Amino acid sequence: MAAVLGVEIEGFVELALPSFGPPPGPGAVLLIAPFLVCFGGPFALVASPLLVLPTVSAARWAATRLTGRDVWWWVPVIASVVAAAGTAALGAAGDLGPGPSALGWPAGATLLTAAALVARRTALRGGRVRHVLGWGAVVAVAVFAIGTGVFATGLAPEYRPPRTDAAELSGSWTDGGGGTLRLDADGTARADGLTDHAEADGDDAEPTAAKYRCSGRGTWSRTEGESTTWDQRVWIRIEGCPGLDDPDGWRVGGTPDRLELTIGYGDPDAPDWYTLTPR
């Protein structure tokens, strides 16, 4: 149930944040529900004896030793310690950066606390699992309804790429790593030290290497989105930079005061993005 709610909330958050393509939205939970069941079920079976039940036992032991009676609020205390240790271990292994670590600890503590409290109450009184599933389904429907209402009424604006014209796109762009692109109003383009990520990715090499940087002159053009600004494209053809001439074109994104040109490379299903911003 936590996974379902997490996917829903993430979907609504993605609707409001700038992105490189239309986000799947909270409805994606309907598509990935089978995967949540297939992979979440075995994970829960493993996590219960390894994390949840030891957390309940440790909380009961600490409560009886330190307070003389079994009280529920020791569960979040122990869960927070376990989550902190797990986050620190992952951070030390290099799998988490400062941002994910800061979010991972409270998220892990909350999830482990909820599961441990359910396990504790089930052991004491029984019959709680079906209540969790039932009320969890109610909460999932409520989150979907509230989130849909928030966006439908305009309380939270849904992100859309800004509509642009040739004049707004003309000028100098930079990749932030020394590469620049000049788009002139007459349709000519000039690249200086841009990175051919498609070639570097094909060689499984470091893209910042000098051999994957290219310079040259060529042309550029743009097409408007037929039905939505998500379909806006910029087509760049530079002699000596074949990787910049992507069949899908460059996407226009960002915000009106800070436009972005992005091109995808790597895995088509989960691409990385090469981004240029106005210089």
Side-chain angles (χ1 to χ4, degrees), residues 8-37:
E8 276 191 312
I9 294 172
E10 181 185 14
F12 281 119
V13 171
E14 287 180 343
L15 288 179
L17 296 179
S19 59
F20 300 123
V29 70
L30 299 177
L31 299 177
I32 69 173
F35 297 96
L36 293 177
V37 174

Side-chain angles (χ1 to χ4, degrees), residues 246-275:
D246 189 275
D248 294 329
W250 290 70
R251 299 170 184 259
V252 179
T255 59
D257 57 346
R258 185 174 176 79
L259 296 176
E260 292 181 348
L261 292 178
T262 58
I263 188 173
Y265 63 94
D267 185 353
D269 295 324
D272 294 307
W273 299 94
Y274 183 36
T275 302

Side-chain angles (χ1 to χ4, degrees), residues 118-204:
V118 170
R120 179 181 183 276
R121 189 173 180 87
T122 300
L124 294 176
R125 301 185 182 183
R128 300 303 302 176
V129 173
R130 66 176 180 270
H131 292 171
V132 170
L133 294 178
W135 283 109
V138 171
V139 173
V141 173
V143 168
F144 187 85
I146 293 172
T148 301
V150 167
F151 281 94
T153 58
L155 293 177
E158 185 175 347
Y159 172 76
R160 289 285 187 274
R163 186 169 295 281
T164 60
D165 55 26
E168 292 175 293
L169 296 174
S170 298
S172 296
W173 299 76
T174 177
D175 63 2
T180 60
L181 174 68
R182 175 73 187 181
L183 303 179
D184 292 326
D186 61 0
T188 59
R190 183 174 70 255
D192 184 10
L194 291 183
T195 299
D196 190 338
H197 280 276
E199 183 178 353
D201 189 70
D203 292 345
D204 195 22

